[in-house]
Every structure is written in structure tokens, then in C-alpha cells.
Amino acid sequence: MDIDVEGVEQRVFTGVLPAWDRVEEAVQDAHRRESSATGGTVADYIPALAEADPGLFGVCVVETDGQVHAAGDVEAEFSIQSVSKVLTYALASDAVGHDVIAERIGVNSTGQSFDSVMAIELNGGHTMNPMVNAGAIATTALLPGGNADERWEILHDALSRFAGRRLELDEDVYRSETEHNQRNMAIARLLESYGRLDVDPLEIVDVYTKQCSLRVTARDLAVMGATLADGGVNPVTDQHVVSPEACTATLAVMATSGLYERSGEWLFEIGIPGKSGVSGGILAVVPGKAGIGVYSPPLDDAGNSVRGQRALAYLSRVLGLNLFASAPRAGGGSREGDPDAAVDSRTTND
């Protein structure tokens, strides 16, 4: 895409969240409203995932200043699964640069399922975006490291810095996924055949499987989201994890491709960058304001948490988080004759 903005500084205007008590009340209300919601099924294509308790449900918001709002099972651990893709993409963006990763991985939706082989073939062997398995495997292959062990250690350490604590590998999930990841191995071999991988494809699949098997909580996801919301600085540890430029690129891809083939509906209805995983977690980001983590194992037929989507839709509306929400200025009227007016009298974020 030729947009000719080299040397033009990216400016940022994000606003603020409502007062602390309003956010706290909204989080508690979101959990209370959706606790009794039914529908969806727990993922069972990987045996270890099928063991999840369908009744678990947690909602957590972490503001960019480190304040935490939590309700429900926010400390229940589960494997991060596809939510890890956004973090790996941010790390790869820093490692190889914006232009390289845009060309090598792509940023457009596939319109296909997350493990589609057809999407690769239809695009001449090119991955379309990092939020589906083919693109995520290719993204992991761009991370630094002389071999698979080094690459995993670098990745494990970085994902832990996103969470603000040392994350542990779920050995049962890792073993279960390794025994059932023939499709991912086939995807990696296909990418290799098109010259899209520069390293051993099966070693990269192993690293990718490990990253998906790290244990996290809804609170961890919220901290990770707040890190992306605040230009790559973890609000709990105050540690710089990735660059602001990597965060910008990651949030854009999350917004357009983070909810599998339902990504368009997500953006239309909820209006904030998000990424789901088949274990039931969703990480959402309100740029400059907060990260949100939700967890509830029952999924819709696209692989997205049913309760999680409903809770996030509620929070988006009552807290004014939708990036595309628009309303007339309070009092109406024309700005004619006031060309320098920069701030109106809207009070939606009070």
C-alpha cells in the first residue's frame, strides 16, 4: 500500500477512561449479567482442552496506570492458545521491522477458518495475516534465535514480560497438542514449499505449539492488553516490552483479524481490537486506556468465547470504548467561525 508518509510523525490521541468507580461497577455488572448466559461448547479437538470447566467465567480490566478491576474467576489458569499470536506478532515487528513483516506475513483477512490450507493456496503460497495458524507459524519463524531452543527461550521470556510474571508451560496441553498437530505440520511444510520459511518447519511448529500452551489467567490477558495499550510498557512492572510502533501494527491487525471469521462482526458490534483463543480467553485493547481479559470456555462455532464476547460488548457500550462510536456535540450548533476549536463539550467519558 503506497501511502507516502515517510518522515511524518505518528500522533496519538486516546482520551481517558471514566472514573474508577464507574469502571469497577461496569466490570462487576458485566460479570453478573453474563454469568447465567448459556450456549457454546468447550473445544474438544485437542483432548486436553475438553477437560475445561464450562462454568468458569472471569472479567478483568487493567488500566494503563496499573489499576485493576476484576470479577469472577480471573485467577483461573488456562492455555493461552491463539491469543499468543498477537504478542508474537508484536515481538516480530520489533525484530524485523514494519515493512518486512507486512510483506512476509500480510495483514488482510482470509475469510477462511483459522487452520485453513486453502487460504494459502488461493494466495500463491502467501500467508494473509498473523492471526491465523499459517501466518502465526511464519511469524514465529521470524523471531531471533540460532535454533529452536534459543528461539523458545527468547519467546518464553518475552511473553512472560508481557504478563508481568513468569509464565509456565502446561505440559499436558503441550503434549496433547503435539500429538494432534498434524495439520499445523502440513501447513508449515506447505509454507516451506513456497519458500516462506527460512528455518526447519517442524521445529517452528514445535515452538509455536509451546507458545500456545503457556498457562495464563484473565488477569494476565488484561495486563498484556494494557501493555499494548500503553505503547509497549507493562503497567504492573513498568518494564518496556515492545515499541509503540509494534503496538500500533499489532492493534490494527487485531482489529481486522482477531476473532477468526467473525472479525468483521466483532469490529462492527464491539469496535475495539481483540483476539480470542479456543481455550476460552479473549484479550481486548482500548488504545491508551486499558487492556481487558475475559475467560469462559464455551465457544461459538467460530471458536470465540460466548460469555466473553457478551461481556466485552457490554463494557464497550457502557464505558464508551467503541473506537467508531459517534455522537453529536452536546448542545449541537455549528463550529463555523471557530476554525481552531479542538475540544468540544461532549461528556461521554465522564
Side-chain angles (χ1 to χ4, degrees):
M1 185 177 183
D2 185 6
I3 53 176
D4 189 25
V5 291
E6 185 174 353
V8 180
E9 183 180 358
Q10 174 73 63
R11 301 186 68 189
V12 180
F13 300 95
T14 56
V16 295
L17 281 175
W20 190 92
D21 56 346
R22 284 191 61 189
V23 180
E24 180 71 13
E25 180 183 18
V27 169
Q28 301 299 324
D29 286 346
H31 184 267
R32 183 166 49 251
R33 280 171 56 94
E34 307 306 336
S35 290
S36 60
T38 59
T41 56
V42 175
D44 60 3
Y45 70 97
I46 298 170
L49 298 182
E51 299 173 4
D53 179 354
L56 292 172
F57 179 35
V59 181
C60 187
V61 172
V62 173
E63 301 188 33
T64 52
D65 62 1
Q67 295 186 90
V68 178
H69 310 268
D73 303 306
V74 297
E75 302 297 343
E77 291 194 326
F78 54 95
S79 56
I80 191 170
Q81 296 300 326
S82 285
V83 175
S84 67
K85 295 171 181 175
V86 302
L87 312 174
T88 306
Y89 181 74
L91 296 167
S93 293
D94 270 348
V96 302
H98 180 95
D99 293 339
V100 171
I101 201 166
E103 189 281 326
R104 288 287 298 268
I105 307 301
V107 295
N108 291 315
S109 298
T110 67
Q112 307 292 328
S113 65
F114 68 92
D115 59 353
S116 173
V117 173
M118 183 179 4
I120 303 172
E121 295 284 20
L122 289 176
N123 291 281
H126 199 296
T127 62
M128 293 301 292
N129 73 71
M131 301 297 116
V132 294
N133 290 12
I137 291 168
T139 299
T140 299
L142 293 176
L143 295 175
N147 55 49
D149 289 339
E150 289 182 9
R151 187 173 283 108
W152 166 241
E153 285 304 317
I154 291 171
L155 178 56
H156 187 187
D157 177 69
L159 295 187
S160 296
R161 285 189 287 119
F162 263 111
R165 70 180 184 95
R166 184 68 175 175
L167 299 178
E168 299 299 327
L169 185 69
D170 189 317
E171 295 288 353
D172 290 338
V173 171
Y174 169 61
R175 183 166 49 252
S176 185
E177 293 208 30
T178 298
E179 293 170 354
H180 296 84
N181 68 354
Q182 291 86 354
R183 192 173 184 89
N184 281 343
M185 289 190 284
I187 287 171
R189 287 291 196 192
L190 182 60
L191 292 174
E192 180 190 35
S193 74
Y194 278 108
R196 299 294 177 182
L197 292 182
D198 299 328
V199 293
D200 184 278
L202 300 189
E203 287 187 357
I204 286 300
V205 169
D206 185 61
V207 174
Y208 171 73
T209 304
K210 286 180 179 177
Q211 80 179 45
C212 292
S213 302
L214 287 172
R215 296 182 66 84
V216 295
T217 66
R219 185 189 185 100
D220 291 331
L221 296 188
V223 173
M224 292 168 168
T227 302
L228 291 171
D230 198 35
V233 177
N234 186 306
V236 174
T237 64
D238 206 33
Q239 185 176 25
H240 180 91
V241 182
V242 290
S243 69
E245 294 77 16
C247 294
T248 299
T250 301
L251 296 181
V253 176
M254 287 173 67
T256 59
S257 307
L259 274 288
Y260 305 122
E261 58 266 39
R262 298 285 171 78
S263 297
E265 295 174 42
W266 166 274
L267 201 58
F268 185 77
E269 297 290 353
I270 298 174
I272 56 177
K275 182 71 192 83
S276 62
V278 293
S279 55
I282 301 178
L283 181 157
V285 181
V286 191
K289 299 178 183 178
I292 307 174
V294 296
Y295 173 56
S296 177
L299 313 175
D300 64 17
D301 57 8
N304 305 313
S305 171
V306 173
R307 285 196 196 102
Q309 291 177 89
R310 293 170 64 110
L312 280 159
Y314 176 80
L315 291 174
S316 177
R317 282 160 174 74
V318 301
L319 295 178
L321 308 181
N322 190 327
L323 301 179
F324 308 102
S326 179
R329 291 182 301 121
S334 170
R335 294 195 182 195
E336 186 177 352
D338 186 17
D340 297 324
V343 180
D344 62 35
S345 56
R346 224 172 291 163
T347 58
T348 54
N349 278 334
D350 288 346

